[in-house]
Amino acid sequence: MENFIHYNPTKILFGKDVVDDICQEISPYGKKALIIIGKGSVKQNGVYARVVSLMNICGLEHYTYEGIKSNPTFQDADAAVKLAKEKQVDMIVALGGGSVIDTAKAVAAGFYVEHSVWDFYLRKAPTPTKALPIFTILTLAATGSEMNNATVLQDSENGIKTAILNDLLYPKVSFLDPALTTSVPLHYTAYGVVDLIAHALEQFFGKGNAPLTDHYTADIIKLAMSYGRKVMEQPEDYDTRAQIMWLATNALNGTLRAGKSPGDWGVHNIEHTLSVLYDIPHGAGLSIVYPAWLKIQLPKIKEKLAFLAKHIFEFTSIDDEVLGLDFIAALEAFFKEMNSPVSLTEAGINIKEKQRILNNLAQNKVSGMVYPLTEKDHQEIVEEMF
Ligand code: NZQ
Ligand code: ZN
């Protein structure tokens, strides 16, 4: 078992209408808030109007930065920092999915410095030592950003998507009302399920003997598959949305890392290349990369896959290699069932793009933390993805 620190200071309010407690929860942190939102879904489904009206009633001054794109950019975060400084806000309220929350985290840290937030991500500036309090109202179950210390941004022009982790970036309070996720379109709902399964797997491939964590991991994946299928049938069902929301939060809030630190994250790193080159939704990229990565790594990870094959799918072979192959096939079949792409071709990316993908993987020295990736591995994985 690897040494680990288990720390998570985010307070979670989970359930129907928890957003009604917003004033009570955030007022102790100040009087002026910058609300950050995406491209309009929160206006269409009424949750933005609801939050603004609650803030008006309790006399919280608020400003809004609107237009964060999915796969967010550092330029948007810098522009939002400018507004936060002009208005001298006391806190950041993220109302949206992972892209909005990750931007809010960048803005919270960027508020206290003069340089671009991107310098933090490129390690050109010292790690943040101060950040505004962050609050999140989650509208899409997927990333776990609502209860972790990570933020991922991209520089589309220079082909870089990368993360920083900092304990100042844990949200103070996150409001998780599953009813807010019923308006998420089916394809993004599916990508969220894929993402949470991918988070469980990335950490599972960490180092260290941690049977409790491994069993949690297998259960989270099994339940995600079961409720994933259900949500495709009944997207309006509150209980199904609630299960998926809590599974996604738990898949990346530290629980699945205990004793397995730090996880591998090679698949996410490869996906960042697809995100930055083709603006593919994160979960859709993961359902393409994961099967390919697993096939290439099979000789090194067959015992681990055998565990998952037995615990998730109840497969019974005595041969680890057979179990490993069966696991990969079953995972891929599940992604297909969710209508999440399993090949680049399916995602509309032409085989002619192969070299461009390889160049970006080489440029960013894309690798994993436990299973390093050579250029030959890049080549094999990219070929497998078409
Ligand atoms: O922009 P709007 O109009 O709000 O629409 C969004 C967006 O188009 C829409 N949406 C969100 N909630 C909705 C809704 N539509 C209808 N009803 C609702 N209730 O969904 C689309 C996708 O939103 P986005 O926030 O981009 O999705 P997600 O939550 O999957 O976030 C993806 C980003 O998070 C990063 C990814 O790399 C990607 O940039 N990640 C962050 C992590 C973290 N901080 O820990 C870990 C993850 O591995 C991931 O890398
Ligand atoms: Zn992810």
Side-chain angles (χ1 to χ4, degrees):
M1 188 142 173
E2 296 285 296
N3 288 5
F4 65 92
I5 296 171
H6 189 69
Y7 170 75
N8 197 312
T10 301
K11 176 174 177 181
I12 297 291
L13 269 66
F14 190 100
K16 257 181 206 153
D17 300 325
V18 286
V19 70
D20 290 347
D21 288 344
I22 187 152
C23 286
Q24 192 183 317
E25 293 295 333
I26 76 177
S27 295
Y29 293 88
K31 292 186 173 9
K32 274 195 232 177
L34 177 67
I35 305 172
I36 299 188
I37 63 175
K39 293 219 175 265
S41 69
V42 295
K43 288 193 167 169
Q44 279 151 26
N45 64 17
V47 62
Y48 175 74
R50 184 171 167 193
V51 168
V52 162
S53 132
L54 287 163
M55 286 184 175
N56 288 341
I57 291 168
C58 66
L60 252 161
E61 206 174 316
H62 54 83
Y63 304 91
T64 300
Y65 186 92
E66 179 171 359
I68 302 305
K69 72 180 269 307
S70 185
N71 296 329
T73 64
F74 79 85
Q75 288 93 343
D76 257 329
D78 280 342
V81 167
K82 196 162 166 266
L83 180 62
K85 286 180 178 174
E86 264 168 37
K87 303 298 181 192
Q88 278 302 299
V89 298
D90 306 310
M91 63 186 94
I92 310 290
V93 176
L95 175 51
S99 297
V100 166
I101 299 176
D102 285 5
T103 305
K105 290 175 175 178
V107 176
F111 181 83
Y112 287 107
V113 295
E114 294 308 316
H115 57 75
S116 164
V117 299
W118 195 231
D119 290 352
F120 289 134
Y121 294 74
L122 296 180
R123 276 77 184 164
K124 280 189 184 167
T127 188
T129 51
K130 263 175 116 175
L132 286 172
I134 301 156
F135 300 89
T136 85
I137 301 163
L138 185 65
T139 64
L140 192 164
T143 65
S145 191
E146 66 279 7
M147 200 181 179
N148 71 37
N149 64 353
T151 153
V152 195
L153 292 183
Q154 70 183 39
D155 172 354
S156 311
E157 242 163 72
N158 293 302
I160 305 170
K161 178 164 186 168
T162 189
I164 52 170
L165 283 76
N166 185 305
D167 284 355
L168 298 166
L169 304 181
Y170 279 104
K172 296 278 179 229
V173 182
S174 282
F175 300 85
L176 273 56
D177 180 346
L180 300 183
T181 67
T182 49
S183 59
V184 176
L186 273 191
H187 62 300
Y188 268 113
T189 301
Y191 303 151
V193 173
V194 173
D195 193 22
L196 90 85
I197 290 173
H199 295 159
L201 289 172
E202 295 279 22
Q203 294 161 101
F204 177 75
F205 294 118
K207 278 189 272 186
N209 176 36
L212 175 60
T213 304
D214 289 346
H215 279 84
Y216 274 150
T217 301
D219 277 353
I220 284 192
I221 296 173
K222 194 170 178 173
L223 288 167
M225 288 180 164
S226 161
Y227 285 104
R229 290 190 176 101
K230 209 167 164 194
V231 78
M232 292 293 115
E233 302 281 316
Q234 294 171 279
E236 308 282 327
D237 183 60
Y238 175 86
D239 186 66
T240 305
R241 291 283 184 179
Q243 305 307 337
I244 291 175
M245 195 172 217
W246 192 229
L247 285 162
T249 301
N250 277 276
L252 198 51
N253 68 355
T255 310
L256 300 189
R257 203 176 50 208
K260 312 269 313 180
S261 303
D264 182 65
W265 297 101
V267 171
H268 266 69
N269 294 337
I270 298 171
E271 197 288 319
H272 288 168
T273 284
L274 302 182
S275 166
V276 83
L277 293 182
Y278 307 106
D279 221 7
I280 188 168
H282 178 59
L286 291 168
S287 61
I288 295 170
V289 184
Y290 238 119
W293 183 91
L294 289 168
K295 285 172 199 165
I296 301 306
Q297 302 294 356
L298 181 64
K300 296 181 198 152
I301 58 173
K302 57 185 176 193
E303 283 162 25
K304 290 185 174 182
L305 291 188
F307 171 86
L308 293 178
K310 287 181 197 158
H311 286 83
I312 297 172
F313 298 112
E314 288 155 38
F315 294 154
T316 53
S317 170
I318 46 160
D319 183 334
D320 284 354
E321 178 136 357
V322 171
L323 285 170
L325 284 167
D326 287 350
F327 173 81
I328 298 168
L331 185 71
E332 197 168 343
F334 173 74
F335 291 161
K336 282 187 190 162
E337 211 183 314
M338 298 292 285
N339 287 320
S340 202
V342 294
S343 77
L344 289 169
T345 318
E346 219 183 302
I349 299 167
N350 194 286
I351 185 89
K352 288 186 195 142
E353 292 292 304
K354 197 171 129 185
Q355 196 52 48
R356 188 161 170 242
I357 298 171
L358 286 171
N359 291 347
N360 186 280
L361 294 172
Q363 172 203 316
N364 292 316
K365 298 187 178 64
V366 168
S367 193
M369 292 162 102
V370 180
Y371 302 99
L373 298 171
T374 61
E375 290 197 9
K376 185 169 163 284
D377 296 324
H378 288 169
Q379 185 96 29
E380 284 177 17
I381 291 170
V382 172
E383 264 162 33
E384 193 61 55
M385 289 196 295
F386 275 104

